[in-house]
Amino acid sequence: PDAPLDPEQFVSTQTGLAALDLLARLASRSPRVVRDANPIGISSHMATRDDVVLCPLIYGYVNYAVAGGPKTHAITFADAPRATPGGRPGSTLGGTGIGISTRCVVTPELLTHLRWLMSAEAQTRFIPAHDGQPSRRSAWQDDAVNSRWGNFYRNTAATLERAHVRPRHNHATAFQASASAFIREELENKRDHRAVLAGLQKMFASSRHDRAPPRLSHA
């Protein structure tokens, strides 16, 4: 089935198999020291050591775009790779924005503060000045912001503009964690990619129906 037309499908068979083939080639070249690390762990390793110099696709954290101290160095960020020259950067848009508890009493003062947080002044000056990562497009294009953060924003803006927004249903985050672990294990064990893809589709369908993804493994 075509994934864009079938919400039960995580990815089409053609795209899924191509992605797994690419991931298998990358995994075979991945240093063991970072193979099980999350994006923050990989970035921290790259910022403090010299044995890993390239990560082809990772969530961007602007704090690593500048040296954090005498024993760290800046990481240069760029747009995500493209499957074909001139094609769309391949990425998923995630991240966390402003969180408001359901127990919160919405007052005029709170609304005023939220409007200020989203203002050009806060997004372009206050948030970057306090090591935060703004969301406003004008901040990503700002000369002073980019100068301070090694052109992190200009170098990755095209990726963000064309990113796929990750699923937002209740168990989407649990699916992402379980599916990532499943893929790592299956590639490590050199499982047939069609069987791996079938497992991923099953996990995604389960998460769509408000159930935690099943833990899949092969004996």
Side-chain angles (χ1 to χ4, degrees):
D2 188 348
L5 302 179
D6 183 356
E8 296 296 310
Q9 294 294 309
F10 174 55
V11 65
S12 69
T13 299
Q14 179 180 359
T15 299
L17 291 177
L20 287 170
D21 288 345
L22 177 59
L23 285 171
R25 295 200 300 274
L26 291 172
S28 69
R29 294 165 171 80
S30 177
R32 171 62 62 182
V33 68
V34 294
R35 191 169 297 181
D36 296 325
N38 62 21
I40 293 176
I42 294 173
S43 296
S44 296
H45 184 96
M46 293 178 67
T48 55
R49 295 173 176 82
D50 295 320
D51 54 343
V52 178
V53 297
L54 172 67
C55 181
L57 193 61
I58 194 170
Y59 282 128
Y61 295 96
V62 70
N63 311 82
Y64 291 102
V66 295
K71 294 185 178 181
T72 66
H73 46 263
I75 297 175
T76 299
F77 289 87
D79 279 318
R82 293 165 167 83
T84 57
R88 177 177 180 170
S91 68
T92 300
L93 183 64
T96 302
I98 300 171
I100 302 174
S101 170
T102 57
R103 299 186 299 274
C104 176
V105 177
V106 178
T107 64
E109 292 79 11
L110 173 60
L111 294 176
T112 297
H113 181 65
L114 292 175
R115 292 188 188 101
W116 176 78
L117 280 176
M118 300 307 297
S119 70
E121 189 278 329
Q123 290 278 312
T124 307
R125 298 291 173 254
F126 180 83
I127 292 176
H130 291 81
D131 295 352
Q133 196 162 309
S135 59
R136 194 178 177 108
R137 185 180 280 107
S138 60
W140 282 60
Q141 298 169 345
D142 186 81
D143 289 339
V145 172
N146 277 280
S147 177
R148 168 70 177 83
W149 296 104
N151 280 323
F152 170 91
Y153 296 102
R154 282 207 181 98
N155 289 348
T156 60
T159 296
L160 273 290
E161 293 281 4
R162 305 190 66 185
H164 166 73
V165 178
R166 67 184 178 189
R168 298 170 61 86
H169 56 277
N170 286 345
H171 286 287
T173 302
F175 164 73
Q176 178 176 308
S178 297
S180 298
F182 177 66
I183 291 172
R184 286 196 301 270
E185 178 182 321
E186 297 302 274
L187 293 182
E188 178 78 16
N189 294 322
K190 302 187 185 308
R191 303 295 185 187
D192 177 74
H193 290 177
R194 287 188 176 274
V196 178
L197 183 58
L200 289 172
Q201 303 285 35
K202 181 178 180 180
M203 295 170 73
F204 182 72
S206 179
S207 74
R208 286 269 305 169
H209 291 281
D210 212 26
R211 300 190 299 270
R215 179 71 178 99
L216 301 178
S217 63
H218 296 287

